[in-house]
Amino acid sequence: MHHEAIVNGVRLHYVEAGAGPLVLLLHGFPEFWYGWRHQIPALAAAGFRVIAPDMRGYNLSEKPPGITSYRADVLAGDAAGLIKHAGVKRATIVGHDWGGFVAWSTALRFPELVEQLVVLNTPHPAALMRELRKPPQALRFWYQVFFQLPWLPEAAIRAFNYRTLGSLFRRSSVRPGAFTDEDIRRYKAAFAQPGALTAALNYYRAVYHQPLRWLRPADQANLRRIELPTLLIWGVRDVALTLALTYGLETWVPRIRVERIREAGHFVQHDAPERVNELLLTFLDGGP
């Protein structure tokens, strides 16, 4: 079922399925709610209520102007607002890529609203700060520097009917056929929505628009600990994020469990959907 809600001052479109404890699925770049197409039916069939929004700026959700509309605190407020809109006290949050960034941010800012946390191929902020001071990870973020430019990234992605999007999905996935022609057509249609491409790039611009003090070791050490049960699922063959980001997280997330999937890349939920679903359901049921 497709719905809309006004939360945190913005209109968000979302898909809902199932009944039971709430699981909030947050997609990343360059996807929309459809990025959870392998997980929504499995979770609903297992007795969970699933809400998968188009995050602000994406597809059918509202696209507020300006870079500051996409700061971490604002995005976390959207997730918190969706949980409250659903009429529940707490929810499990599952996030991938930028959705994973929002999941970490929501757990840090609104821990009282989060039952459990599942993050896919998104580093904890402290681990990212640690590894960005090292060449192997810093060099992989060249595209984020490009995204800071005005209008040129938008023009490059739109060129030749968004051909870059199709190349990104197929280059970043490991399993042959992980993204079909129909899947890519749907992603292109979502980005063709007026204002969607600039809004998606503003997620990246908002990070670097803020003071770079978040790179300092002192800020890394002072991050609040996340005491929630947490599962980190990581596709080892990620082309943008190094495996080093998955180590040494217990300092900030003492109850974390890390599952590394060697036959998957950045889009782990598409490369290994059955394994990801198995891990999700076992974790949500309180298994080891």
Side-chain angles (χ1 to χ4, degrees):
M1 298 292 291
H2 292 257
H3 303 281
E4 288 187 346
I6 303 294
V7 300
N8 198 27
V10 67
R11 176 183 51 78
L12 298 180
H13 166 262
Y14 64 93
V15 167
E16 184 171 0
L22 180 62
V23 179
L24 181 63
L25 300 177
L26 303 177
H27 68 83
F29 178 91
E31 301 198 81
F32 60 109
W33 72 262
Y34 184 70
W36 298 110
R37 58 191 175 275
H38 302 297
Q39 285 68 50
I40 293 172
L43 288 166
F48 293 95
R49 177 187 178 192
V50 181
I51 288 180
D54 292 332
M55 289 170 58
R56 66 164 58 202
Y58 280 88
N59 195 37
L60 301 180
S61 286
E62 189 175 349
K63 301 158 184 66
I67 292 172
T68 58
S69 296
Y70 301 88
R71 295 193 322 254
D73 57 327
V74 177
L75 299 172
D78 289 353
L82 282 168
I83 294 170
K84 295 174 182 177
H85 172 77
V88 300
K89 293 183 178 179
R90 299 166 74 89
T92 292
I93 300 182
V94 181
H96 171 252
D97 188 79
W98 272 106
F101 177 74
V102 177
W104 287 123
S105 298
T106 306
L108 286 165
R109 290 172 169 83
F110 304 100
E112 71 281 1
L113 295 178
V114 186
E115 188 72 37
Q116 296 171 298
L117 185 64
V118 183
V119 179
L120 288 70
N121 278 73
T122 311
H124 183 277
L128 180 59
M129 288 188 280
R130 180 191 70 205
E131 296 303 318
L132 272 178
R133 295 196 297 273
K134 304 173 184 177
Q137 182 57 62
L139 291 172
R140 293 196 189 194
F141 268 19
W142 65 268
Y143 66 94
Q144 297 202 15
V145 177
F146 175 65
F147 284 170
Q148 304 311 304
L149 299 174
W151 70 263
L152 186 57
E154 283 91 334
I157 294 173
R158 285 195 189 99
F160 304 105
N161 188 30
Y162 297 88
R163 186 169 64 185
T164 299
L165 286 182
S167 299
L168 170 63
F169 284 120
R170 290 189 166 125
R171 188 176 64 251
S172 300
S173 58
V174 173
R175 180 174 64 88
F179 294 96
T180 67
D181 291 343
E182 173 60 18
D183 294 335
I184 291 172
R185 186 197 66 76
R186 295 187 69 161
Y187 287 122
K188 288 180 178 181
F191 266 97
Q193 296 287 334
L197 182 51
T198 293
L201 292 172
N202 280 345
Y203 280 67
Y204 293 94
R205 292 163 176 159
V207 171
Y208 293 91
H209 191 260
Q210 300 174 70
L212 292 182
R213 62 175 181 269
W214 57 274
L215 284 172
R216 299 182 310 185
D219 290 285
Q220 170 186 323
N222 290 332
L223 272 176
R224 178 189 300 171
R225 282 160 54 107
I226 295 174
E227 303 288 349
L228 303 165
T230 301
L231 172 64
L232 177 64
I233 301 175
W234 199 272
V236 171
R237 295 165 65 180
D238 195 314
V239 297
L241 300 168
T242 64
L243 191 59
L245 292 162
T246 67
Y247 294 103
L249 303 179
E250 292 78 9
T251 298
W252 305 288
V253 195
R255 300 176 67 186
I256 194 168
R257 168 187 164 194
V258 181
E259 291 285 346
R260 301 174 184 90
I261 303 179
R262 297 197 173 277
E263 65 276 16
H266 181 71
F267 294 100
V268 60
Q269 75 273 37
H270 303 289
D271 278 334
E274 295 83 5
R275 178 60 176 151
V276 167
N277 290 352
E278 177 188 7
L279 291 169
L280 273 175
L281 294 174
T282 300
F283 181 74
L284 294 178
D285 285 337

